[in-house]
Each structure stands twice: as C-alpha cells, then as structure tokens.
Amino acid sequence: MDGGAQEMNELIVIFLSMALINNFILVRYLGLCPFLGVSKELGPAVSMGIAVTFVMIIASLATWLINHYILIPFDIQYMYIIVFILVIASLVQVIELFIKKTNIALYSAFGIYLPLITTNCAVLGVTIINMMGSYTLLESLVAALGGGLGFTLVLAIMAGIREKLELADTPRAMKGAPIALITATLLGLAFFGFVGIV
Amino acid sequence: MPAKDVFGRAFPVILLTAVVAICVSLLTYVGSITLPRIEALEVQKIQGMLSGMFPDMSRYTFEDEIYAIYSDEVRIGYAFVAVGKGYGGAINILVGLEDEATIKGITVISHTETPGLGSRITEDLFTGQFVRLSVDDAALRRDGGQIDAITGATISSRAVADAVRITAMEKVKVLEDSEEGG
Amino acid sequence: MGKFAQEFAKGLIITNPVLVLLLGLCPALAVSTSIDNALGMTLAVLIVLLGSNIIIAAMRNFVPSITRIPIFIVIIATLVTVVNLLFHAYLPDLHETLGIYLPLVVVNCIVLGRAEAFASKNPVVRSIADALGMTVGFMLALLMISLIRQMLGTGEMSVFGVHFFSLPVLSSRPVAIFILPPGGFLVIGLLLGLFKWTGVLKR
C-alpha cells in the first residue's frame, strides 16, 4: 500500500471508530446530560448535535494549535486541563456572540444550546482524546467530525424512539430517564455490530 | 473598606487575574514535585518490562531510541518502542529483538482501545504469538503473516503487528548503519 | 451540629447526585466496571469537590457575579490537575485505568453544580458538609452499580487485589456484557427505575 492510501485508510478508521465503534454516548458515556435532556424530540436533538459537532471541530483545531505551539514548547503539557477548558469556554462565548450578530435565524435554532456545551464532557473529551492519541491536526479534525456526527446520530435515533415511547404503556416507575437508559442499552448492543466493519 | 470598593469597576478583572496567577503557581509547584517522579516511574516501568523480556539482563544502554541489552558484557538483544495506531489512538509497544531478524517478545506499554475487545492485545494469548517470530512474519494471517487477529478487534491487532514489523525493520536498518559506521 | 448532619445526610438518598439528580452519570457509568475503579473515582471527586466547595464558599462574599463562572472553572480545573498529577505520580495504576475520565472530573456536573447551587451561597462549614454528603452519595451509587457489574461481569468478588469469593457458575462463565458499555446503561436504568418505584410505593 502506498503512503497516500495508507493515510486515507487511517483517517477512515479514525472516523468510523469515533462515529460508530467508540461512539461518544453509547461506548464512552460522554455527553449523557444532553442525551437525557434534549433527546425527547427530533428537531432539538439534531440542532444540539450539530452545535456540538461544530464546537468540537473548532475546539479540536484550537486546542491542537495551543498544544503544539504553546504547551509542548514550554513543557507545560500537564496544565492541559485548565487550558483546554478555558479555551472551550471562551470559544463557546465567541461563537454564541458571532451567531447572534450575524444570523439570528441560526441563533434561535441552536443558540440556546451553546451555553450548555461548555460543560458537555464530549467536547472536552474529544480534545483530550486527540492529545492522548498524539493525532496530527488533520486526524484531530477528522476525529472531531466523526465523534460529533456519531453523537448527533445517536441523539437523533434516541429522539425518534422516545417520541414513540411517549405513546407506549411504560410502567410508571420506568418513565423518563430509566426507560431512556434501557433503550440506550439496546442501542449500545446494536452498535456492537459495527465492531466488525473495518 | 472592602477590596471591591478600592479597585472599583476593574475589580472583577483583577480578581480573575489573581485567581489565575495563584492557580498557575500552585500547579507549577505541584508539577515540580510530581513530574520527576512520574518520569522515574516511566523509566522503572520500561526497566521492569525489559528484564521480564530478557531475564538474563544485567544492564542496558539507551542510544538512538534503541535499548541494547547486555548480560555480563555480552549483548543479548535489542529493544525499542513501536507506536501503532489503533481505534482509540496510539498503542505503545515495547518490542524486544533477539537478533536482527528474530523477535524476542512484545509488551504493550499503554493503549486506549475498547475495554474487552481491542484491550485484549495486552493478553499473553495475543502477545505470545510474537515470541521467537521472524520480523517478516509479524503481520496478520490475512496480510500474509503468522499472527492470528483477536476476534472483533482486527484493527487493533493489525495496528500492533504492523507497528512491530515496520518499526523493527527501521531499527534494524539504524543498527546496521551504525555498525558499518563504527 | 444538627445543620451539619442535615446538609450531609441529604446527599445520601433524598438528593443523591447520581440516582436522583442524574448528575455525574458519565463517570458513574464509565468507571463502575469494578469496585476498585469506583472507589478511585470517588477519591478524586472527594478531593476536588471538597476543595472547590471550601474555596468557593470562602470567597463567596467578594466574587462578583459577572466573573463567577470563569473563576469557579479555573479553581476546579486547578484542583483536577493537582489530583491528576498526584494520581499519576503516586497511584499510577489507578491513573491509567481511570484514563480520560480523571481529567473529565472538571466537567462533572456535580462539582460545578454544587459550587453554583450551594457553596457560592453558604458558609464554609455547611459547604464542607454538603461536599462530604454529595461525595458519599456519589460513592454509594457507584458502589451499587460497580458491585452488580463486577459480580455479574466477572463472577469474582475482589477489592484492591484481595479476593473474597467467587460466584458459582458465573466465575467460569461470566456475563461479560455487564462490564461492557451497554451493561452500564442497563444496570443504572434498572436502579433508577427501582429508586423511582420505591418512591412511588411511599406515596
């Protein structure tokens, strides 16, 4: 296999692994708060997913640059937690302001989810995974895209199922979060099937 | 008079700066204590793995990223770290060589593969396959080698086998070059 | 003392952070594959939550509300980094098994949630009680989940290398799905249902 194809292959593996095999919600348990909170209806679930994906990509870019041009040269990589979380918090603020000023329709569609994203462990999670996996910039961006889309996919599937569950005769004690978690169990088992695809 | 009123409107900014400054100095201090210990632990870990791989090892040297293993001043092998790209990111593997063409054994130093699936690359059942294997055969069977992949973890298995073979070939070249030179 | 005990006790069951408030689900599921990991995560949360509650309660009277959240985040992130470094240097095995979930304590909703909802409005002593209660509540939830997952998933009852007993049948044929991710969802889903059900019974 020549270098280019090998590289392309590695990117595909990273993408599939982040999106399906090591899905943020179902396998890594990251981003569970929005999973339980906004997965009740399809529309908001998809908007939230896209917002998260967007922030993940921007955050991966920013933290990769900071890690490689500040933390590593100055030998202060151990401070990454404080640096990354501050970068994500300020990025979210900037993105929120930017969208509010430029596109009010977009802002009303997913602006309200942005403040929630700062404390979304999936965003900090993807930046830490990129750093620990020693990914290149391109690999980090692909990982963020894959992770974000996988997150959106599961959020959307879940919302679809929960819309139907509303009408089902669930035992009273299992209504809400418990049945959502049981559904996640079954989804997780289904996603195990993806392990064999590559 | 409370500090708030002395600084007036700049107070929030000053306070935030002060908090950041205090936190960073605290971290620098904690880092200065723990980082040397963390590095020492890493060295110790590699040392333990080396002596597990080469039970007769009496000392080793580390040059050009290659460990040369000696037993009573006789060189009995080499070792180096190979990095594979698995599902979850980098897989670091310590590879021991008996001579330029034969693998002595491998040990997974660290990985972030899926628990229960990819994580089985650390088990003896998998790593044992590399013992006394020719470097050229360190590839999955479906890629023309001698290694059986772990069921459901082909990518992780291939990442290890390929990293071992490719890195071993590179290191053998480095060794041959340095011997010609010296 | 009555107040202290009251603040402490509420975290155990009535407002159990994991099972009632649904906070900190991510670490609760990720590290509950074994009792050792559950206790290790509890130690990390204890240090961070206690530290942040004390510092934030002590500062509550002069932190302006406009920079409140950034200051909380900086303090919490510092504490998490300290814990991360200390674990790496002194408990390397635990540091490795907790993996990314140790740095992720910084976005654990319990920690920031208690800082915002409790410590920023209450005196230091009561904030200590709150932190201890929440941590014990977190520990109880994690122990419950990890006990079930470890027993069914491995069939062995051992803590920190000390082996207590093996279950018949299960130790030779463990139900591995329980230590895999879907098993975590199943156990916590059923536990939440159980908690709600007993609540339903009381009413």
Side-chain angles (χ1 to χ4, degrees):
Chain A
M1 214 182 314
D2 66 305
Q6 171 99 36
E7 213 162 87
M8 196 61 217
N9 248 358
E10 264 165 19
L11 289 180
I12 294 172
V13 167
I14 289 175
F15 181 84
L16 290 176
S17 146
M18 294 294 279
L20 301 175
I21 298 144
N22 285 328
N23 185 279
F24 268 92
I25 295 176
L26 296 177
V27 178
R28 296 192 204 260
Y29 301 123
L30 299 176
L32 287 180
C33 302
F35 175 66
L36 293 174
V38 289
S39 71
K40 285 180 188 136
E41 282 171 74
L42 193 56
V46 173
S47 304
M48 174 75 181
I50 293 170
V52 167
T53 311
F54 183 65
V55 175
M56 272 183 176
I57 293 173
I58 307 275
S60 292
L61 175 71
T63 53
W64 192 91
L65 292 173
I66 288 173
N67 189 27
H68 284 258
Y69 292 103
I70 298 175
L71 298 189
I72 294 176
F74 287 95
D75 212 14
I76 48 169
Q77 229 189 341
Y78 64 96
M79 293 201 188
Y80 72 94
I81 301 174
I82 193 166
V83 175
F84 284 12
I85 187 78
L86 286 179
V87 166
I88 293 170
S90 9
L91 265 180
V92 170
Q93 292 277 316
V94 172
I95 294 171
E96 193 186 353
L97 267 178
F98 182 77
I99 296 179
K100 205 175 185 173
K101 286 273 187 315
T102 53
N103 191 334
I104 200 75
L106 197 63
Y107 181 75
S108 53
F110 68 64
I112 43 163
Y113 302 111
L114 284 171
L116 293 174
I117 292 176
T118 308
T119 52
N120 182 331
C121 27
V123 178
L124 184 64
V126 79
T127 62
I128 298 178
I129 289 167
N130 289 339
M131 189 192 77
M132 289 190 169
S134 331
Y135 286 158
T136 63
L137 180 56
L138 185 60
E139 286 170 345
S140 302
L141 295 178
V142 170
L145 180 69
L149 290 182
F151 177 82
T152 312
L153 176 71
V154 171
L155 223 56
I157 296 176
M158 198 57 202
I161 297 175
R162 284 182 89 174
E163 278 179 5
K164 298 265 183 267
L165 267 179
E166 286 295 304
L167 308 170
D169 187 18
T170 320
R172 221 168 95 207
M174 296 299 285
K175 270 194 172 37
I179 195 70
L181 289 160
I182 303 290
T183 314
T185 313
L186 300 174
L187 265 182
L189 285 173
F191 267 60
F192 256 138
F194 288 121
V195 167
I197 57 174
V198 260
Chain B
M1 188 156 56
K4 231 185 263 200
D5 303 336
V6 181
F7 296 111
R9 289 178 61 192
F11 180 73
V13 182
I14 294 171
L15 183 71
L16 184 59
T17 319
V19 169
V20 172
I22 293 170
C23 288
V24 169
S25 17
L26 175 72
L27 285 187
T28 318
Y29 173 69
V30 176
S32 69
I33 298 172
T34 49
L35 290 177
R37 208 186 136 86
I38 292 169
E39 267 170 46
L41 280 174
E42 290 291 310
V43 173
Q44 219 179 356
K45 190 172 160 188
I46 296 275
Q47 225 163 356
M49 286 177 173
L50 284 176
S51 56
M53 209 178 269
F54 298 94
D56 300 332
M57 179 177 87
S58 54
R59 68 180 186 91
Y60 68 89
T61 60
F62 184 58
E63 212 177 310
D64 289 341
E65 313 261 294
I66 297 175
Y67 300 89
I69 318 292
Y70 292 89
S71 165
D72 295 332
E73 301 313 304
V74 180
R75 195 173 58 216
I76 54 170
Y78 302 101
F80 53 86
V81 177
V83 184
K85 283 209 169 126
Y87 269 136
I91 306 173
N92 293 303
I93 313 142
L94 186 70
V95 185
L97 289 183
E98 219 166 70
D99 52 52
E100 274 77 1
T102 320
I103 296 167
K104 175 83 180 174
I106 68 164
T107 311
V108 176
I109 304 170
S110 64
H111 73 90
T112 44
E113 299 304 281
T114 321
L117 286 165
S119 71
R120 292 178 56 203
I121 51 171
T122 57
E123 291 176 6
D124 290 345
L125 207 63
F126 180 71
T127 58
Q129 296 185 77
F130 288 88
V131 175
R132 298 201 58 88
L133 190 72
S134 136
V135 169
D136 297 330
D137 287 336
L140 299 190
R141 280 191 196 282
R142 66 174 78 171
D143 300 336
Q146 293 283 326
I147 302 294
D148 289 314
I150 295 159
T151 316
T154 312
I155 291 285
S156 310
S157 313
R158 180 179 285 136
V160 173
D162 287 356
V164 169
R165 187 186 64 254
I166 293 165
T167 320
M169 285 172 172
E170 283 169 16
K171 298 292 177 190
V172 167
K173 207 169 160 354
V174 172
L175 287 171
E176 280 166 356
D177 286 353
S178 70
E179 257 160 43
E180 272 167 33
Chain C
M1 194 57 217
K3 275 242 166 89
F4 189 92
Q6 210 180 327
E7 296 297 354
F8 174 77
K10 75 174 190 298
L12 304 191
I13 295 165
I14 308 165
T15 56
N16 185 295
V18 181
L19 296 171
V20 179
L21 304 180
L22 297 184
L23 297 176
L25 276 184
C26 149
L29 287 162
V31 303
S32 62
T33 48
S34 75
I35 296 170
D36 300 5
N37 292 351
L39 290 174
M41 181 52 96
T42 306
L43 179 63
V45 168
L46 172 70
I47 300 172
V48 173
L49 186 55
L50 197 58
S52 82
N53 259 16
I54 291 175
I55 297 169
I56 288 163
M59 290 174 72
R60 74 186 185 284
N61 286 330
F62 59 87
V63 172
S65 63
I66 183 169
T67 46
R68 189 180 76 242
I69 299 291
I71 287 180
F72 292 174
I73 291 179
V74 170
I75 291 170
I76 294 169
T78 306
L79 289 165
V80 174
T81 308
V82 169
V83 170
N84 194 28
L85 285 169
L86 289 176
F87 275 27
H88 200 168
Y90 298 97
L91 301 165
D93 293 337
L94 183 63
H95 179 263
E96 201 171 317
T97 44
L98 293 183
I100 65 165
Y101 299 101
L102 189 51
L104 283 178
V105 171
V106 74
V107 282
N108 185 323
C109 323
I110 301 176
V111 182
L112 192 61
R114 293 329 284 173
E116 173 73 357
F118 197 91
S120 64
K121 301 187 186 88
N122 286 285
V124 175
V125 179
R126 287 177 67 181
S127 297
I128 293 176
D130 178 71
L132 292 177
M134 283 293 155
T135 313
V136 175
F138 180 73
M139 181 176 77
L140 287 178
L142 251 69
L143 279 180
M144 238 184 273
I145 304 166
S146 60
L147 186 73
I148 298 172
R149 292 182 72 185
Q150 184 179 330
M151 296 284 253
L152 296 175
T154 65
E156 308 285 340
M157 177 63 206
S158 56
V159 182
F160 298 122
V162 185
H163 189 261
F164 289 99
F165 57 87
S166 303
L167 291 173
V169 188
L170 274 175
S171 57
S172 55
R173 302 198 78 86
V175 192
I177 196 71
F178 280 101
I179 52 170
L180 290 173
F185 283 120
L186 181 66
V187 172
I188 199 162
L190 291 176
L191 274 178
L192 285 181
L194 189 71
F195 258 65
K196 269 184 130 181
W197 184 62
T198 50
V200 170
L201 282 186
K202 260 183 239 149
R203 243 174 278 143

